[in-house]
Amino acid sequence: MKNSVKDHCLVIIGLILFVAGLIIVKTLSEPQGVMRALPYVCIGIGCGIFGQGMGNIISRKAVKNNPDIYKQIEIGKKDERNITIANRAKAKSYDMMIFVFGALMVSFALMGVEVTALLLLVFAYLFVIFYGIYYRFKYEKEM
Amino acid sequence: MKNRVEEIRKRHGIKQEELAAALEVTRQTIGSLENGRYKPSITLAFKLARYFHMSIEDIFIYEEEKENEK
């Protein structure tokens, strides 16, 4: 029930953002600064949120009259092998991300990209790495 | 680590699907377990042992030398 309410809220928020984006696009004749991108960001995020909520509602309705399929889906979600596979895949992609983002930052620096954008990327990169270190210490204490 | 899950399951006349449903895992997990491709958690090992009314050592065979080589 809680999830159902949440999904309906997501659908409404998504629709509001989408419509607001469309209205801004239609009403502003010569947008300046942030207003040039904002309506399209609203439309994009609105569509994403709407799709997420509507997808959840439809999938819940689809399995509502079929408890066997619902149980199978739940088992698939909680299956320890599936969880292990997902975690290993995530760990591999994280390792790859460290190299790819590192190479991208060096490339941007050599290309002479604006310092603000480059620093934002470096901070985001460091944030992810420190997040990993934090959880390493946290799990070290827990296990 | 080897296991005798397939042998024991067949002896009990149970299908992979039935065992998977009883242990609340997917059929693929049981298949991988029987092939030796997947090493189960201690929880799943206990569930298996309880399901067949056996001890874990009766189902799983720990080979120390091979494990240390990895």
Side-chain angles (χ1 to χ4, degrees), chain A residues 71-72 75-76 78-82 84, chain B residues 24-26 28-29 32 38 40-41 44:
Chain A
K71 200 184 173 194
Q72 204 58 43
I75 286 174
K78 289 175 188 165
D79 181 61
E80 64 170 47
R81 180 171 158 271
N82 285 348
T84 307
Chain B
E24 295 187 324
V25 293
T26 58
Q28 287 83 355
T29 299
S32 298
Y38 176 64
S41 69
L44 184 57

PDB file of all heavy atoms in Angstrom, chain A residues 71-72 75-76 78-82 84, chain B residues 24-26 28-29 32 38 40-41 44:
ATOM      1  N   LYS A  71       5.675 -14.598  -6.441  1.00  0.00           N
ATOM      2  CA  LYS A  71       6.585 -15.310  -5.534  1.00  0.00           C
ATOM      3  C   LYS A  71       7.909 -15.618  -6.233  1.00  0.00           C
ATOM      4  O   LYS A  71       8.989 -15.481  -5.649  1.00  0.00           O
ATOM      5  CB  LYS A  71       5.930 -16.607  -5.050  1.00  0.00           C
ATOM      6  CG  LYS A  71       6.572 -17.118  -3.778  1.00  0.00           C
ATOM      7  CD  LYS A  71       6.020 -18.439  -3.341  1.00  0.00           C
ATOM      8  CE  LYS A  71       6.841 -18.953  -2.171  1.00  0.00           C
ATOM      9  NZ  LYS A  71       6.599 -20.345  -1.896  1.00  0.00           N
ATOM     10  N   GLN A  72       7.801 -16.008  -7.510  1.00  0.00           N
ATOM     11  CA  GLN A  72       9.007 -16.319  -8.287  1.00  0.00           C
ATOM     12  C   GLN A  72       9.895 -15.088  -8.439  1.00  0.00           C
ATOM     13  O   GLN A  72      11.118 -15.169  -8.317  1.00  0.00           O
ATOM     14  CB  GLN A  72       8.569 -16.849  -9.667  1.00  0.00           C
ATOM     15  CG  GLN A  72       9.606 -17.733 -10.359  1.00  0.00           C
ATOM     16  CD  GLN A  72       9.984 -18.944  -9.530  1.00  0.00           C
ATOM     17  OE1 GLN A  72       9.121 -19.590  -8.952  1.00  0.00           O
ATOM     18  NE2 GLN A  72      11.277 -19.227  -9.433  1.00  0.00           N
ATOM     19  N   ILE A  75      11.589 -14.444  -5.133  1.00  0.00           N
ATOM     20  CA  ILE A  75      12.685 -15.399  -4.927  1.00  0.00           C
ATOM     21  C   ILE A  75      13.891 -14.984  -5.768  1.00  0.00           C
ATOM     22  O   ILE A  75      15.028 -14.980  -5.295  1.00  0.00           O
ATOM     23  CB  ILE A  75      12.224 -16.844  -5.256  1.00  0.00           C
ATOM     24  CG1 ILE A  75      11.318 -17.377  -4.143  1.00  0.00           C
ATOM     25  CG2 ILE A  75      13.426 -17.782  -5.449  1.00  0.00           C
ATOM     26  CD1 ILE A  75      10.696 -18.732  -4.418  1.00  0.00           C
ATOM     27  N   GLY A  76      13.625 -14.612  -7.010  1.00  0.00           N
ATOM     28  CA  GLY A  76      14.704 -14.166  -7.906  1.00  0.00           C
ATOM     29  C   GLY A  76      15.441 -12.958  -7.363  1.00  0.00           C
ATOM     30  O   GLY A  76      16.660 -12.853  -7.479  1.00  0.00           O
ATOM     31  N   LYS A  78      15.695 -12.117  -4.140  1.00  0.00           N
ATOM     32  CA  LYS A  78      16.399 -12.427  -2.886  1.00  0.00           C
ATOM     33  C   LYS A  78      17.422 -13.550  -3.047  1.00  0.00           C
ATOM     34  O   LYS A  78      18.159 -13.840  -2.103  1.00  0.00           O
ATOM     35  CB  LYS A  78      15.383 -12.824  -1.814  1.00  0.00           C
ATOM     36  CG  LYS A  78      14.558 -11.655  -1.327  1.00  0.00           C
ATOM     37  CD  LYS A  78      13.493 -12.127  -0.362  1.00  0.00           C
ATOM     38  CE  LYS A  78      12.528 -11.012  -0.019  1.00  0.00           C
ATOM     39  NZ  LYS A  78      11.314 -11.511   0.625  1.00  0.00           N
ATOM     40  N   ASP A  79      17.449 -14.189  -4.200  1.00  0.00           N
ATOM     41  CA  ASP A  79      18.337 -15.331  -4.413  1.00  0.00           C
ATOM     42  C   ASP A  79      19.799 -14.934  -4.170  1.00  0.00           C
ATOM     43  O   ASP A  79      20.290 -13.960  -4.758  1.00  0.00           O
ATOM     44  CB  ASP A  79      18.164 -15.836  -5.849  1.00  0.00           C
ATOM     45  CG  ASP A  79      19.027 -17.034  -6.136  1.00  0.00           C
ATOM     46  OD1 ASP A  79      18.838 -18.051  -5.453  1.00  0.00           O
ATOM     47  OD2 ASP A  79      19.898 -16.956  -7.018  1.00  0.00           O
ATOM     48  N   GLU A  80      20.484 -15.700  -3.305  1.00  0.00           N
ATOM     49  CA  GLU A  80      21.846 -15.311  -2.907  1.00  0.00           C
ATOM     50  C   GLU A  80      22.828 -15.341  -4.072  1.00  0.00           C
ATOM     51  O   GLU A  80      23.751 -14.541  -4.129  1.00  0.00           O
ATOM     52  CB  GLU A  80      22.334 -16.175  -1.741  1.00  0.00           C
ATOM     53  CG  GLU A  80      22.470 -17.652  -2.060  1.00  0.00           C
ATOM     54  CD  GLU A  80      23.190 -18.404  -0.953  1.00  0.00           C
ATOM     55  OE1 GLU A  80      22.843 -18.213   0.206  1.00  0.00           O
ATOM     56  OE2 GLU A  80      24.111 -19.177  -1.299  1.00  0.00           O
ATOM     57  N   ARG A  81      22.602 -16.272  -5.035  1.00  0.00           N
ATOM     58  CA  ARG A  81      23.510 -16.317  -6.192  1.00  0.00           C
ATOM     59  C   ARG A  81      23.321 -15.071  -7.055  1.00  0.00           C
ATOM     60  O   ARG A  81      24.300 -14.470  -7.510  1.00  0.00           O
ATOM     61  CB  ARG A  81      23.243 -17.590  -7.001  1.00  0.00           C
ATOM     62  CG  ARG A  81      24.116 -17.733  -8.216  1.00  0.00           C
ATOM     63  CD  ARG A  81      23.948 -19.106  -8.854  1.00  0.00           C
ATOM     64  NE  ARG A  81      24.342 -19.087 -10.238  1.00  0.00           N
ATOM     65  CZ  ARG A  81      23.542 -18.797 -11.250  1.00  0.00           C
ATOM     66  NH1 ARG A  81      22.288 -18.486 -11.013  1.00  0.00           N
ATOM     67  NH2 ARG A  81      23.979 -18.815 -12.495  1.00  0.00           N
ATOM     68  N   ASN A  82      22.068 -14.669  -7.282  1.00  0.00           N
ATOM     69  CA  ASN A  82      21.796 -13.457  -8.060  1.00  0.00           C
ATOM     70  C   ASN A  82      22.420 -12.235  -7.397  1.00  0.00           C
ATOM     71  O   ASN A  82      22.991 -11.377  -8.075  1.00  0.00           O
ATOM     72  CB  ASN A  82      20.286 -13.235  -8.203  1.00  0.00           C
ATOM     73  CG  ASN A  82      19.666 -14.181  -9.207  1.00  0.00           C
ATOM     74  OD1 ASN A  82      20.383 -14.847  -9.956  1.00  0.00           O
ATOM     75  ND2 ASN A  82      18.358 -14.263  -9.217  1.00  0.00           N
ATOM     76  N   THR A  84      25.009 -12.220  -5.332  1.00  0.00           N
ATOM     77  CA  THR A  84      26.466 -12.319  -5.460  1.00  0.00           C
ATOM     78  C   THR A  84      26.906 -11.882  -6.849  1.00  0.00           C
ATOM     79  O   THR A  84      27.888 -11.137  -6.993  1.00  0.00           O
ATOM     80  CB  THR A  84      26.926 -13.780  -5.200  1.00  0.00           C
ATOM     81  OG1 THR A  84      26.391 -14.204  -3.959  1.00  0.00           O
ATOM     82  CG2 THR A  84      28.431 -13.896  -5.178  1.00  0.00           C
TER      83      THR A  84
ATOM     84  N   GLU B  24      13.733 -21.661  -1.280  1.00  0.00           N
ATOM     85  CA  GLU B  24      13.517 -20.266  -1.672  1.00  0.00           C
ATOM     86  C   GLU B  24      14.706 -19.659  -2.401  1.00  0.00           C
ATOM     87  O   GLU B  24      15.189 -18.571  -2.083  1.00  0.00           O
ATOM     88  CB  GLU B  24      13.116 -19.420  -0.459  1.00  0.00           C
ATOM     89  CG  GLU B  24      11.772 -19.833   0.106  1.00  0.00           C
ATOM     90  CD  GLU B  24      11.266 -18.917   1.188  1.00  0.00           C
ATOM     91  OE1 GLU B  24      12.098 -18.432   1.967  1.00  0.00           O
ATOM     92  OE2 GLU B  24      10.049 -18.726   1.272  1.00  0.00           O
ATOM     93  N   VAL B  25      15.211 -20.435  -3.367  1.00  0.00           N
ATOM     94  CA  VAL B  25      16.249 -19.932  -4.276  1.00  0.00           C
ATOM     95  C   VAL B  25      15.783 -20.249  -5.701  1.00  0.00           C
ATOM     96  O   VAL B  25      14.768 -20.922  -5.888  1.00  0.00           O
ATOM     97  CB  VAL B  25      17.637 -20.573  -4.018  1.00  0.00           C
ATOM     98  CG1 VAL B  25      18.194 -20.163  -2.683  1.00  0.00           C
ATOM     99  CG2 VAL B  25      17.581 -22.095  -4.130  1.00  0.00           C
ATOM    100  N   THR B  26      16.540 -19.755  -6.688  1.00  0.00           N
ATOM    101  CA  THR B  26      16.137 -20.039  -8.069  1.00  0.00           C
ATOM    102  C   THR B  26      16.646 -21.420  -8.490  1.00  0.00           C
ATOM    103  O   THR B  26      17.590 -21.953  -7.887  1.00  0.00           O
ATOM    104  CB  THR B  26      16.707 -18.979  -9.034  1.00  0.00           C
ATOM    105  OG1 THR B  26      18.122 -18.982  -8.907  1.00  0.00           O
ATOM    106  CG2 THR B  26      16.151 -17.600  -8.732  1.00  0.00           C
ATOM    107  N   GLN B  28      18.268 -22.038 -11.102  1.00  0.00           N
ATOM    108  CA  GLN B  28      19.642 -21.852 -11.592  1.00  0.00           C
ATOM    109  C   GLN B  28      20.660 -21.993 -10.468  1.00  0.00           C
ATOM    110  O   GLN B  28      21.769 -22.490 -10.690  1.00  0.00           O
ATOM    111  CB  GLN B  28      19.793 -20.471 -12.244  1.00  0.00           C
ATOM    112  CG  GLN B  28      19.132 -20.339 -13.596  1.00  0.00           C
ATOM    113  CD  GLN B  28      17.645 -20.041 -13.501  1.00  0.00           C
ATOM    114  OE1 GLN B  28      17.061 -20.017 -12.419  1.00  0.00           O
ATOM    115  NE2 GLN B  28      17.022 -19.828 -14.649  1.00  0.00           N
ATOM    116  N   THR B  29      20.297 -21.551  -9.270  1.00  0.00           N
ATOM    117  CA  THR B  29      21.215 -21.667  -8.124  1.00  0.00           C
ATOM    118  C   THR B  29      21.458 -23.138  -7.801  1.00  0.00           C
ATOM    119  O   THR B  29      22.595 -23.552  -7.562  1.00  0.00           O
ATOM    120  CB  THR B  29      20.635 -20.928  -6.897  1.00  0.00           C
ATOM    121  OG1 THR B  29      20.494 -19.559  -7.234  1.00  0.00           O
ATOM    122  CG2 THR B  29      21.523 -21.058  -5.677  1.00  0.00           C
ATOM    123  N   SER B  32      23.712 -24.589 -10.574  1.00  0.00           N
ATOM    124  CA  SER B  32      25.113 -24.176 -10.415  1.00  0.00           C
ATOM    125  C   SER B  32      25.769 -24.869  -9.229  1.00  0.00           C
ATOM    126  O   SER B  32      26.941 -25.222  -9.267  1.00  0.00           O
ATOM    127  CB  SER B  32      25.200 -22.664 -10.198  1.00  0.00           C
ATOM    128  OG  SER B  32      24.710 -21.998 -11.300  1.00  0.00           O
ATOM    129  N   TYR B  38      29.083 -22.933  -8.177  1.00  0.00           N
ATOM    130  CA  TYR B  38      28.727 -21.968  -7.145  1.00  0.00           C
ATOM    131  C   TYR B  38      28.878 -22.577  -5.757  1.00  0.00           C
ATOM    132  O   TYR B  38      28.405 -23.690  -5.507  1.00  0.00           O
ATOM    133  CB  TYR B  38      27.277 -21.505  -7.359  1.00  0.00           C
ATOM    134  CG  TYR B  38      26.780 -20.574  -6.290  1.00  0.00           C
ATOM    135  CD1 TYR B  38      27.364 -19.332  -6.111  1.00  0.00           C
ATOM    136  CD2 TYR B  38      25.737 -20.937  -5.439  1.00  0.00           C
ATOM    137  CE1 TYR B  38      26.925 -18.483  -5.123  1.00  0.00           C
ATOM    138  CE2 TYR B  38      25.295 -20.086  -4.449  1.00  0.00           C
ATOM    139  CZ  TYR B  38      25.893 -18.865  -4.295  1.00  0.00           C
ATOM    140  OH  TYR B  38      25.476 -18.019  -3.301  1.00  0.00           O
ATOM    141  N   PRO B  40      27.775 -22.307  -2.005  1.00  0.00           N
ATOM    142  CA  PRO B  40      26.664 -21.658  -1.295  1.00  0.00           C
ATOM    143  C   PRO B  40      27.111 -20.970  -0.009  1.00  0.00           C
ATOM    144  O   PRO B  40      28.190 -21.259   0.522  1.00  0.00           O
ATOM    145  CB  PRO B  40      25.740 -22.826  -0.971  1.00  0.00           C
ATOM    146  CG  PRO B  40      26.654 -23.973  -0.819  1.00  0.00           C
ATOM    147  CD  PRO B  40      27.767 -23.764  -1.807  1.00  0.00           C
ATOM    148  N   SER B  41      26.271 -20.077   0.479  1.00  0.00           N
ATOM    149  CA  SER B  41      26.539 -19.454   1.777  1.00  0.00           C
ATOM    150  C   SER B  41      26.298 -20.503   2.861  1.00  0.00           C
ATOM    151  O   SER B  41      25.659 -21.537   2.606  1.00  0.00           O
ATOM    152  CB  SER B  41      25.589 -18.273   1.985  1.00  0.00           C
ATOM    153  OG  SER B  41      24.272 -18.761   2.148  1.00  0.00           O
ATOM    154  N   LEU B  44      22.553 -21.224   3.238  1.00  0.00           N
ATOM    155  CA  LEU B  44      21.965 -22.135   2.261  1.00  0.00           C
ATOM    156  C   LEU B  44      22.440 -23.571   2.505  1.00  0.00           C
ATOM    157  O   LEU B  44      21.664 -24.522   2.343  1.00  0.00           O
ATOM    158  CB  LEU B  44      22.320 -21.680   0.835  1.00  0.00           C
ATOM    159  CG  LEU B  44      21.693 -22.471  -0.307  1.00  0.00           C
ATOM    160  CD1 LEU B  44      20.171 -22.485  -0.206  1.00  0.00           C
ATOM    161  CD2 LEU B  44      22.112 -21.890  -1.653  1.00  0.00           C
TER     162      LEU B  44
END
